[in-house]
Amino acid sequence: MRIPRDGGARAGVIRLERLGPEHAAAILEGQDAELAGEIVGERWNRGSLDSFLARAARWRADGPIREFAARYETEAETGALIGGGGLNLLDPGLTRAEAALTYWVLAAHRGRGHGRELAAALVGRAQADPRISRLVLRIAPMNGASRTLARSIGAVPTGEVERHPADAARVVDRWVLELDRN
């Protein structure tokens, strides 16, 4: 997806790649309390992140659980890791043809529109997968930025409250996005 920047003078693209161990250093360096709270409830440490990334690297590219790293690239440079996200068909509370959509942006890259473009790239991947007709987003009630991003890609709140996937002591609001197959 091409995104004009600087009044159209430069153009960049969000490139998704499989998330793996090679992303550990950038994630550890770029995480902050806000990101940690949304994802796992606490900051990643090297051991827990390495374990997760090793599992992610073994998942099939077309499998039911896919995690991606995202880079913002221009013609002049290969960009640094800005964030990532996932498409998960095996998540509690999902029905057939639903996938959980997740996205995250490292602190240094927020406020530049990268989150919306990252989410749009993930939606594009979901639209290309015939197994998925609806995306489910689980958003913390106080996460205004994620709510705004979800609305910008066409997701709508259902009014349902669920337990946070990584921490049953917290709750999230359920949002859905019906995929357009045209």
Side-chain angles (χ1 to χ4, degrees), residues 103 116 139 143-155 175:
Y103 45 80
R116 185 191 183 295
I139 304 174
N143 190 338
S146 189
R147 293 164 119 51
T148 299
L149 190 156
R151 278 189 188 89
S152 78
I153 61 170
W175 291 56

Side-chain angles (χ1 to χ4, degrees), residues 70-91:
R71 296 183 187 280
Y72 179 75
E73 299 182 347
T74 66
E75 291 181 17
E77 65 181 324
T78 299
L81 181 73
I82 63 160
L87 296 169
N88 188 338
L89 285 95
L90 300 176
D91 212 39

Side-chain angles (χ1 to χ4, degrees), residues 55 76 109 114 125 141 153 175:
R55 285 192 313 274
H109 302 284
H114 294 318
R125 293 276 177 119
I153 61 170
W175 291 56

Side-chain angles (χ1 to χ4, degrees), residues 8 35 71 115 138 181:
L35 177 63
R71 296 183 187 280
R138 294 175 174 121
R181 296 287 179 190

Side-chain angles (χ1 to χ4, degrees), residues 21 23-32 35-37 39-55:
H23 302 108
I27 293 170
L28 288 171
E29 181 180 318
Q31 72 179 330
D32 63 352
L35 177 63
I39 295 177
V40 294
E42 60 188 18
R43 287 182 182 269
W44 287 108
N45 63 50
R46 188 64 193 221
S48 63
L49 181 59
D50 284 348
S51 177
F52 170 73
L53 293 175
R55 285 192 313 274

